[in-house]
Amino acid sequence: MSNPYLPTSYVEAITALLGPAETEAFLASYDAPRTYGLRFNTLKIPPSSPAAGKLAELFALRPVPWCGTGYYYEESTRPGKHPYHAAGLYYIQEPSAMSAVELLDPQPGQTVLDLAAAPGGKTTQIAAKMAGQGLLISNEIHPQRARILAENVERLGIRNAVVTQAAPPALSARFPLAFDRIMLDAPCSGEGMFRKDPDAISEWSPEAVELCASRQWDILQDAVAMLKPGGRLAYSTCTFNRRENEDTIARLLAEYPFLRLIAEKRIWPHREQGEGHYVALIERDHDEKAPAITPAVANRESADSGRRGGRERDRKRGARSGPSERSAAAAWDSFRAWAADELPAFTPPAGGTPLLFGEALYLLPASGGLALTPEHLTGLKVPRAGLHLGDVRKGRFEPAHALAMALSADEAAPRLWTLNAESPLVAAYLRGETLEVPASLRGWHLVTVACGDDQHPLGWGKASGGQLKNHLPKGLRH
Ligand code: SAM
């Protein structure tokens, strides 16, 4: 018996796509349990490490065939609640959604855009493949979702991502022909979500499919405008209809003769273990003339409103004026002095541009290809302008949670305070409690959780008088 709440027009569309016999099997998949997946964060754990073995045992992992770092887990093991999740060792991701970045195959050193990125499944997968080298711009149009995206980028310890919150035209105006790889995981009618989220069924209609297709078409125009000659674009959805998938891609190829289809992949829930996904990989011809990339914004009006937006953001963050190079240089010096005292084994990253927004010091990643400058970001909402190193308050440097999560235990040694994953102290730390420590412990410490022989950061603590004051951000305590 298939799901009685499926709209008739949806079942008809699926029958037209698959034929009556296979539609039976497809509809029967609604009665099968949904699949659960997680993907290792190889920025923190290499796939064949003892830590990876430990996770495989803890969560009864089975490999996802199309993603070397992806695994199915047993729902009852609840990896999303485990301290290793807070430590960013993996990302919970629907298994078929892992297929798109595998096809895009971004490389270390490239300039990559994830255009519709929240909550961050594909961004964190791209970042793992880039291994900290090159520049990733992760964009999300909705403010609330952009904040969640920024949190996930931080939790996974990603150093080379800039999180923007912009509509696609605002980005294409700034970054024409700029990216080696673009991921567009488009907002869609979500037919592949019906088993996971039955509410999605009530939002579906043939009109919603048309609306999505027209929005996808608009976003694709901007994606093409930002793709370098020779660059690749992966377009994906979690829906089944042809209108939002093959038909949209056929229209794109017809409209832009310099694009060609490299591969197309569909995952169906009755054929493979996954909720369903569509991805098309497209390449732009090499031999087009690429004009130089300038940080200029598209037109006077957006430039003016951009500057207003920038000033407003600086005001809210406590700056008396916009980010100035001189104060950023002073803040960078105070970070380096702090690091020399508190993190003697840490070498501050070479390259990149220190940026100061109010009290907050960021390190804008270096990227050979794009040469990202602060002007590229003027007027954009930028929840995370690269790695947040810390805040300079009354001349004193205070390290950011993002820096804690991006450090390795080696870089923070000997300033480590390590807890066992099974210890109730881990939960106490994650709730925001102060921990008791030996009176000899003083200063900033990286609180870590042990996994096999490794230690992985959970956040900062500051020790004095036998107490470790908890510096986990309030919003992350639970
Ligand atoms: N790639 C994400 C991941 O792997 O976690 C999931 C992205 S979700 C399928 C699509 C995203 O597109 C949503 O976060 C949604 O807010 C965003 N979106 C909605 N309308 C948009 C628009 N007009 N332009 C760009 N993005 C949009």
Side-chain angles (χ1 to χ4, degrees), residues 46-198:
S48 52
S49 62
K54 174 148 186 160
L55 297 184
E57 202 179 306
L58 261 178
F59 306 127
L61 300 180
R62 289 176 296 115
V64 169
W66 47 85
C67 175
T69 53
Y71 296 87
Y72 301 99
Y73 67 82
E74 284 304 320
E75 186 195 358
S76 59
T77 62
R78 310 191 75 190
K81 303 278 177 207
H82 198 280
Y84 293 154
H85 183 261
L89 301 196
Y90 46 83
Y91 188 94
I92 306 276
Q93 188 177 25
E94 194 282 304
S96 49
M98 298 171 187
S99 57
V101 172
E102 290 303 312
L103 211 59
L104 184 64
D105 197 25
Q107 298 295 314
Q110 288 184 329
T111 306
V112 184
L113 171 67
D114 187 0
L115 187 48
K122 292 182 174 78
T123 269
T124 53
Q125 192 174 358
I126 292 168
K129 285 188 179 285
M130 294 175 75
Q133 294 160 46
L135 170 71
L136 169 60
I137 296 187
S138 296
N139 180 66
E140 167 58 42
I141 192 167
H142 289 298
Q144 194 77 25
R145 290 176 62 83
R147 269 196 292 279
I148 295 168
L149 171 66
E151 275 178 20
N152 281 326
V153 165
E154 288 191 1
R155 183 170 58 84
L156 271 73
I158 297 166
R159 295 185 183 201
N160 60 329
V162 171
V163 176
T164 58
Q165 188 234 304
L171 287 185
S172 63
R174 284 171 174 76
F175 300 112
L177 304 169
F179 296 99
D180 300 300
R181 296 281 185 274
I182 297 180
M183 180 72 241
L184 172 52
D185 189 26
C188 69
S189 60
E191 293 162 359
M193 301 287 281
F194 288 0
R195 185 162 67 171
K196 198 169 131 184
D197 173 16

Side-chain angles (χ1 to χ4, degrees), residues 189-333:
S189 60
E191 293 162 359
M193 301 287 281
F194 288 0
R195 185 162 67 171
K196 198 169 131 184
D197 173 16
D199 286 348
I201 301 176
S202 60
E203 284 162 28
W204 187 95
S205 66
E207 295 73 32
V209 168
E210 284 310 310
L211 209 76
C212 287
S214 121
R215 188 165 50 182
Q216 287 150 356
W217 179 248
D218 288 346
I219 305 174
L220 270 167
Q221 316 289 304
D222 288 303
V224 170
M226 289 187 272
L227 194 60
K228 260 187 197 168
R232 288 184 168 194
L233 160 72
Y235 170 83
S236 66
T237 74
C238 62
T239 212
F240 300 119
N241 69 76
R242 291 185 62 92
R243 184 81 183 81
E244 296 176 66
N245 295 326
E246 287 88 348
D247 292 355
T248 293
I249 293 305
R251 183 178 173 196
L252 191 75
L253 297 174
E255 187 98 356
Y256 298 101
F258 54 80
L259 297 180
R260 66 194 176 93
L261 184 65
I262 304 284
E264 224 169 7
K265 183 178 167 72
R266 260 183 186 268
I267 292 174
W268 286 96
H270 62 290
R271 292 188 195 163
E272 286 166 298
Q273 277 192 292
E275 301 307 293
H277 225 66
Y278 168 85
V279 52
L281 183 66
I282 285 158
E283 188 172 75
R284 185 173 188 148
D285 280 353
H286 279 277
D287 53 1
E288 282 182 86
K289 294 254 175 333
I293 299 162
T294 60
V297 288
N299 58 53
R300 174 105 198 119
E301 195 187 321
S302 69
D304 286 349
S305 65
R307 274 192 285 277
R308 275 198 302 278
R311 274 203 295 270
E312 175 65 5
R313 187 181 57 238
D314 296 335
R315 189 184 62 72
K316 283 192 181 145
R317 293 183 182 187
R320 276 184 289 273
S321 60
S324 95
E325 273 177 39
R326 193 132 51 106
S327 45
W332 177 250
D333 286 344

